[in-house]
Amino acid sequence: MNFAQIILPLNLKGTFTYKVPEDLMEKIEVGMRVLIPFGGKKIYTGIVAELFDEFEDSFVPKEIINLLDSQPIVPKQQLEFWNWMSSYYLCNLGEIYRFAFPSSLKLESETYVRLLSERTIDWQNLDANETYLLQALEVRQMLNLQEIEAFIPKKEIIKTINALIDERYISVDEKITEKYKAKEIAYLRINNEELKIKNSLAEIISSLKNARKQQELFLLILDKETENPEKPIRKSEIFDEGNFNNSQLKSLIEKKLVQEYYLEKDRIDSYEGELEEIEQLTENQKLAVSEINKAFQEDKNVLLHGITSSGKTHIYLEKIEDCVNSEKNVLLLLPEIALTKQITIRLEKKYGKKLGFYHNKLTDFERVEVWRKIKKNELQILIGTRNSLFLPFENLGLIIVDEEHDSAYKSRDSNFFFNAKDSAMMLAEFYNSRMVLGSATPSLESYDLAMKDKIRYVPLNERFGNVDVPKFEIIDVKEAQSQKKIIGNFSQKMVDEINLQLEHKKQSIILHNRRGYANVIECETCGHVTYCSNCDVVMTYHKSANELKCHYCGHRAGKPTTCPSCHGANLNTKGVGVEQIEEETQKIFSEAEVDRMDVDAMRKKFAYEKLYEKLENGETDILVGTQMISKGLDFENIELVVIPKADALIYVQDFRAEERAYQLITQVAGRAGRVSGEGKILIQTYNPSHSIFELIKNQNVKEIYDYFLDERKKFLYPPFVKLIMIELKHRKEDKLNRASQFLGSVLRKYIPEECILGPEKSPIARINNLYQYQILLKFPKNKNYKIYKELLSKSLEEFDEITAYKSIKRDFLVDF
DNA sequence: AGCACGCCGACT
DNA sequence: GTCGGCGTGCTC
């Protein structure tokens, strides 16, 4: 093959054509990494997407510099997956490639400055920066731009370098450096060759009699080797045990008596304890497993709808075991790795070294190691967050998406938007493998698919050990207020119930899903509130840090003591945050140990681990927290969950607000009475007649989902339509406004009016100094979707023709 | 995404 | 007058 289409790690449309040099023609394959020149002098690592022979175009392709792999590093299923993602989520292949790969696998050239020796330096005629740079280069012959930044201001670097190039003192070069380095550990061994030559051990030992320490060291190593010939002797271990120094060791090495050697070590320690068998299933669980098996035989994927603590994990384990037994691999997706200890511990004990983890907390080198192990098929089971969808699986047989409703699967930590749950379904298809979605509160979309038997619905309605489900009670705040039975944000009833738990040494959870102490600090005199300087939002008051924070850009400001506008001293807080609820709780239950769990409290190192311990040991009596507390806290001693301000969960302007409220409340409720079956949930609201509370209270799945489906049908939301949100952003509002209007008009030229909403200002009109506009597309779900999507692409091409609008940043949120 | 080229404001 | 700002265009 003479030519190749290459995916570059850049946010550019499509692929680029390169010529395959003669000597690589035999070796090159689709999915390999190649080194290619691009632009002026930059060198990037690209991926071979396609190979072909005929090439006819006006430009002359450059040549591939080299191959980086002897075998494809991206399996063809992954390439298919990338292509699908690119067209479905309207993003460039290069962005996907960049997101998919650990950066150490993407070599990139770096610009270096080098000292030329052809001219003697005339130090008199140099300015300060030039002098610094040349002096630095006399010490170290090569420097990269970052290193230079340390002693020359950023904006003066280019000038300085150019001046010195003109004087022919220096030159610039591009250099590629291998980033990944295996971690190596030093070991020692007796040099047996030498021993054979010398013929006598005693002779050697006596030869060292004038160097007592060396003799001692030699004997120690010899001792260890005889003791256990199989076990390598770590250098650090020797130095730990005896009082030796490096020069003594060096002498022994010079005398060829001892050898030092290195072995590569995994950065990730895998479990090496005893392996355990998995537990027996209950009758109910066995039934669910056989349902799943039946579905798989019919080539159907599964939605496992198991109520909280029904033992979905057991069923996963069973299916994982089946898959592993048939020599195939498993991917288990979790929303966040840190909050799901239980499941990982159990799997570790069953599979030990065959289990791998992949998530955002790993360092880049650790990612590379997992990547390689997956590639070499050393891991049979991978537990990971959504970025593990891109690992180079070879033989995937099963994908499990746990807590499939979780919004973390749609998190926006990548440049492009994608839903990991839906993507997993496609990935499963490309690998011809099966998939299980699991949740106690499935997303409406998955539930709808299941009802239509597009995926098989497998319910699991019994709590493990046949324990009772928690009981819900709705408390009318208005009524409590009129009867004067209210203390701050808590009704008397709520306080009594918590006291009851404290008496019985049981733990309680208080859910309040709003960060900070108060939503805003307001001046009573003039009404002034502090806005974030970068965003169009008011700043939230955090009492624990005693500062104002912007939850959108992270900007922080000191807490004002007087009004910044009228200098009045009458400042008041508005809107209750979780810190305030915590403070109030501590006041009311002064004897109790109260802890708070939210992103702010968990930011400190090991904060989560410490809190987890406290909860497990029963030291914490009352846990106050945001939605974070709905995940992973499976403790036996929690029996009460209270939600003092449940209305805040519902009146959010988002068509999914009620669905989320239902999921959150049900998930938190599931923490209560897991063993005793005495779980109790108290929900305080001003609107006890709101249907959502009635539905949550009854926990009748069909009723709840029918209600949601009705609402969505009425107002045309998913799953009845497909949504695409176009976000447009720019620093200049007028330009953005013009561009948005233009895009709106182009879209309306091709696509029916009723499918297009906007453009309009986003609810938060400015984030991080970027103004935000949005256009919402509601496309039909039938065959027309594809047609409309093509019309959208056509509109975008037309929009792109206006060069002035190229600087407008656009994001597409497909199925957001 | 980077990098070069080209046209307008604030400084020696 | 120049230096340096960023708006624009291009990269196989």
Side-chain angles (χ1 to χ4, degrees):
Chain A
M1 296 288 174
N2 294 307
F3 299 97
Q5 289 300 120
I6 306 294
I7 304 169
L8 298 188
L10 301 171
N11 190 6
L12 294 171
K13 212 171 165 187
T15 52
F16 288 78
T17 310
Y18 282 84
K19 186 162 178 3
V20 182
E22 203 90 12
D23 58 319
L24 298 181
M25 278 185 195
E26 295 295 305
K27 299 178 202 155
I28 196 165
E29 281 179 59
V30 168
M32 285 179 173
R33 291 178 302 158
V34 287
L35 235 39
I36 40 93
F38 189 72
K41 47 193 167 176
K42 274 272 165 190
I43 292 166
Y44 290 103
T45 305
I47 303 288
V48 182
E50 213 184 305
L51 289 165
F52 55 100
D53 271 321
E54 301 298 311
F55 175 78
E56 276 173 54
D57 220 322
S58 50
F59 64 86
V60 183
K62 290 185 179 171
E63 273 205 358
I64 290 170
I65 298 170
N66 212 347
L67 276 175
L68 289 175
D69 302 303
S70 53
Q71 280 176 44
I73 190 167
V74 186
K76 64 174 187 305
Q77 295 94 329
Q78 278 290 343
L79 280 175
E80 288 177 305
F81 181 56
W82 291 10
N83 279 313
W84 170 80
M85 278 206 120
S86 162
S87 77
Y88 189 85
Y89 289 111
L90 301 164
C91 58
N92 288 322
L93 275 172
E95 289 180 278
I96 299 174
Y97 164 38
R98 255 165 35 134
F99 184 75
F101 266 61
S103 52
S104 309
L105 290 177
K106 294 170 296 196
L107 313 177
E108 221 175 274
S109 66
E110 215 177 350
T111 309
Y112 273 84
V113 175
R114 201 154 53 91
L115 190 64
L116 294 176
S117 50
E118 51 190 81
R119 285 191 61 199
T120 41
I121 298 164
D122 176 12
W123 295 98
Q124 307 305 317
N125 290 323
L126 299 173
D127 71 17
N129 284 335
E130 291 163 6
T131 313
Y132 291 148
L133 182 53
L134 286 180
Q135 280 172 346
L137 283 169
E138 291 207 314
V139 183
R140 297 193 32 205
Q141 51 280 37
M142 276 178 122
L143 291 170
N144 69 24
L145 295 180
Q146 266 148 36
E147 288 166 327
I148 297 169
E149 244 175 71
F151 54 88
I152 297 181
K154 214 172 186 170
K155 51 179 185 172
E156 287 164 41
I157 290 181
I158 301 292
K159 196 180 107 192
T160 308
I161 290 174
N162 282 337
L164 292 174
I165 289 173
D166 287 347
E167 291 293 323
R168 290 197 294 126
Y169 287 137
I170 62 169
S171 72
V172 286
D173 258 332
E174 293 284 316
K175 197 181 148 188
I176 298 166
T177 40
E178 173 79 62
K179 292 182 194 167
Y180 173 77
K181 291 223 165 46
K183 191 170 166 179
E184 290 187 326
I185 303 264
Y187 292 89
L188 299 174
R189 63 179 165 222
I190 300 294
N191 188 346
N192 285 322
E193 296 298 311
E194 199 64 17
L195 224 61
K196 270 178 216 146
I197 300 165
K198 292 255 165 65
N199 231 336
S200 159
L201 194 58
E203 199 177 306
I204 291 169
I205 294 167
S206 77
S207 79
L208 291 170
K209 67 173 181 290
N210 290 329
R212 294 291 300 276
K213 265 301 193 189
Q214 287 179 35
Q215 190 186 55
E216 208 180 301
L217 178 58
F218 181 81
L219 288 172
L220 179 62
I221 297 168
L222 189 66
D223 248 22
K224 287 204 174 269
E225 224 174 69
T226 355
E227 203 176 292
N228 189 351
E230 298 301 309
K231 191 171 167 268
I233 304 156
R234 279 176 75 148
K235 183 173 160 184
S236 59
E237 168 189 334
I238 297 288
F239 278 87
D240 284 348
E241 276 177 38
N243 184 21
F244 303 109
N245 62 38
N246 241 321
S247 64
Q248 289 148 8
L249 176 65
K250 250 195 194 136
S251 308
L252 286 180
I253 293 170
E254 271 164 26
K255 289 174 191 164
K256 294 206 171 114
L257 298 174
V258 170
Q259 286 175 330
E260 185 172 2
Y261 65 106
Y262 294 87
L263 291 177
E264 286 188 12
K265 188 187 179 298
D266 285 348
R267 287 185 170 79
I268 302 152
D269 292 321
S270 48
Y271 177 82
E272 293 194 350
E274 289 289 302
L275 301 186
E276 287 172 7
E277 278 310 304
I278 47 178
E279 299 146 60
Q280 279 289 307
L281 296 181
T282 65
E283 283 308 310
N284 216 320
Q285 291 169 338
K286 277 184 195 158
L287 210 65
V289 168
S290 73
E291 286 289 307
I292 294 172
N293 291 340
K294 219 171 89 194
F296 282 3
Q297 270 160 25
E298 294 168 33
D299 270 350
K300 276 229 154 86
N301 291 326
V302 166
L303 170 63
L304 178 61
H305 186 175
I307 60 168
T308 51
S309 63
S310 58
K312 285 187 294 294
T313 313
H314 287 207
I315 290 168
Y316 298 158
L317 290 172
E318 192 76 17
K319 291 316 297 166
I320 289 169
E321 179 72 359
D322 278 358
C323 190
V324 169
N325 284 342
S326 63
E327 303 284 302
K328 290 198 168 181
N329 301 332
V330 184
L331 168 62
L332 172 58
L333 284 186
L334 299 173
E336 276 145 295
I337 207 93
L339 302 175
T340 15
K341 282 223 171 97
Q342 284 91 346
I343 192 168
T344 58
I345 288 167
R346 254 195 266 180
L347 279 163
E348 253 180 353
K349 288 193 174 158
K350 177 79 176 76
Y351 298 102
K353 282 191 165 178
K354 291 177 175 162
L355 175 70
F357 298 96
Y358 197 75
H359 50 84
N360 296 335
K361 296 220 167 75
L362 296 182
T363 64
D364 204 69
F365 287 174
E366 289 169 338
R367 286 176 208 221
V368 173
E369 283 174 13
V370 177
W371 185 284
R372 291 191 172 170
K373 280 190 188 170
I374 290 278
K375 188 75 217 165
K376 284 191 271 178
N377 218 358
E378 285 171 16
L379 299 175
Q380 287 179 308
I381 302 149
L382 190 99
I383 302 182
T385 50
R386 62 190 213 133
N387 44 2
S388 30
L389 285 173
F390 301 97
L391 287 168
F393 299 104
E394 288 295 338
N395 195 15
L396 207 51
L398 175 67
I399 302 178
I400 298 169
V401 183
D402 190 27
E403 307 295 352
E404 64 89 23
H405 65 281
D406 199 296
S407 58
Y409 290 125
K410 300 194 242 184
S411 79
R412 299 191 63 186
D413 56 4
S414 52
N415 286 325
F416 55 99
F417 177 90
F418 70 98
N419 184 341
K421 185 241 304 178
D422 297 335
S423 304
M425 213 178 303
M426 284 312 292
L427 188 70
E429 215 159 279
F430 291 129
Y431 275 98
N432 203 9
S433 75
R434 299 270 60 95
M435 185 175 73
V436 175
L437 301 174
S439 176
T441 53
S443 64
L444 207 47
E445 284 86 345
S446 300
Y447 182 85
D448 185 56
L449 281 182
M451 286 304 115
K452 291 175 178 151
D453 204 34
K454 298 261 175 66
I455 53 177
R456 182 60 47 80
Y457 187 69
V458 178
L460 196 59
N461 298 324
E462 214 175 74
R463 272 188 146 183
F464 188 73
N466 212 355
V467 154
D468 279 347
V469 295
K471 288 178 187 58
F472 289 77
E473 198 173 318
I474 313 291
I475 298 170
D476 186 345
V477 183
K478 259 185 276 176
E479 197 183 297
Q481 275 172 339
S482 66
Q483 295 173 3
K484 298 262 180 320
K485 287 185 171 167
I486 195 141
I487 306 158
N489 290 302
F490 293 89
S491 61
Q492 187 61 51
K493 167 90 181 161
M494 221 172 232
V495 173
D496 292 345
E497 289 283 351
I498 294 172
N499 269 324
L500 209 63
Q501 299 299 323
L502 290 172
E503 273 170 41
H504 291 111
K505 300 259 175 280
K506 297 283 181 187
Q507 294 164 302
S508 306
I509 283 179
I510 301 175
L511 170 70
H512 186 72
N513 199 24
R514 179 184 270 168
R515 284 170 59 196
Y517 185 84
N519 206 23
V520 62
I521 293 184
E522 193 185 52
C523 172
E524 292 281 281
T525 319
C526 72
H528 173 271
V529 293
T530 304
Y531 278 85
C532 171
S533 53
N534 309 321
C535 314
D536 279 0
V537 289
V538 294
M539 294 188 75
T540 306
Y541 172 45
H542 286 247
K543 198 172 189 175
S544 54
N546 197 36
E547 62 184 11
L548 304 178
K549 268 187 210 174
C550 171
H551 290 176
Y552 291 88
C553 73
H555 177 69
R556 289 148 62 171
K559 186 209 169 196
T561 45
T562 57
C563 173
S565 172
C566 73
H567 306 290
N570 262 338
L571 296 178
N572 222 332
T573 62
K574 291 268 162 73
V576 179
V578 69
E579 290 182 11
Q580 199 171 330
I581 295 285
E582 181 198 14
E583 186 181 272
E584 213 178 306
T585 307
Q586 189 67 77
K587 230 174 249 166
I588 300 171
F589 311 99
S590 50
E591 300 292 298
E593 179 72 15
V594 181
D595 282 304
R596 173 165 56 92
M597 183 172 178
D598 58 19
V599 278
D600 301 291
M602 293 302 106
R603 222 185 297 274
K604 279 194 221 115
K605 226 179 175 180
F606 301 122
Y608 181 80
E609 285 76 5
K610 277 183 201 157
L611 182 56
Y612 194 94
E613 288 281 291
K614 277 186 83 175
L615 282 161
E616 195 162 43
N617 299 335
E619 286 169 54
T620 301
D621 298 312
I622 304 172
L623 179 66
V624 185
T626 56
Q627 56 179 357
M628 215 181 221
I629 54 174
S630 67
K631 290 176 193 172
L633 298 180
D634 296 339
F635 300 111
E636 296 181 2
N637 218 21
I638 300 169
E639 292 202 342
L640 179 68
V641 171
V642 305
I643 307 168
K645 294 176 89 67
D647 297 327
L649 298 173
I650 290 161
Y651 300 110
V652 183
Q653 60 149 1
D654 176 346
F655 70 93
R656 284 188 221 276
E658 291 189 1
E659 182 190 348
R660 288 234 181 85
Y662 156 71
Q663 284 160 343
L664 179 55
I665 293 173
T666 309
Q667 293 284 348
V668 182
R671 309 300 119 209
R674 294 180 74 91
V675 175
S676 64
E678 303 276 307
K680 198 167 191 178
I681 320 302
L682 301 177
I683 301 172
Q684 272 183 189
T685 167
Y686 282 94
N687 307 280
S689 59
H690 195 302
S691 11
I692 188 77
F693 292 123
E694 200 57 34
L695 288 163
I696 289 172
K697 185 181 166 183
N698 295 337
Q699 287 285 314
N700 179 322
V701 167
K702 192 169 178 335
E703 260 176 43
I704 293 167
Y705 281 89
D706 281 350
Y707 165 79
F708 287 143
L709 285 169
D710 267 3
E711 297 277 302
R712 298 282 178 89
K713 195 170 190 173
K714 228 189 291 176
F715 299 105
L716 280 180
Y717 277 109
F720 298 97
V721 294
K722 306 252 315 170
L723 294 184
I724 298 175
M725 176 73 90
I726 306 174
E727 290 181 347
L728 299 138
K729 301 170 193 184
H730 197 267
R731 279 199 348 272
K732 301 230 169 74
E733 192 176 12
D734 54 337
K735 186 171 185 170
L736 175 62
N737 186 13
R738 269 181 282 125
S740 307
Q741 296 304 333
F742 176 68
L743 180 55
S745 68
V746 176
L747 286 166
R748 285 185 165 88
K749 216 163 80 185
Y750 298 107
I751 298 166
E753 174 64 32
E754 66 267 23
C755 297
I756 306 167
L757 284 86
E760 58 183 12
K761 273 190 195 180
S762 300
I764 296 158
R766 186 176 53 121
I767 298 175
N768 242 330
N769 285 322
L770 286 182
Y771 287 91
Q772 322 255 323
Y773 273 64
Q774 59 185 35
I775 299 174
L776 179 61
L777 302 174
K778 286 185 171 180
F779 283 174
K781 264 197 99 171
N782 50 36
K783 297 272 182 299
N784 279 338
Y785 181 67
K786 235 186 150 173
I787 297 167
Y788 284 27
K789 198 84 172 281
E790 273 159 26
L791 291 169
L792 168 59
S793 300
K794 194 172 173 176
S795 312
L796 291 169
E797 271 168 38
E798 214 168 300
F799 179 82
D800 282 341
E801 281 168 24
I802 313 295
T803 51
Y805 295 157
K806 281 242 165 85
S807 58
I808 307 272
K809 191 172 154 31
R810 302 166 320 187
D811 284 330
F812 302 99
L813 281 62
V814 180
D815 307 333
F816 66 94

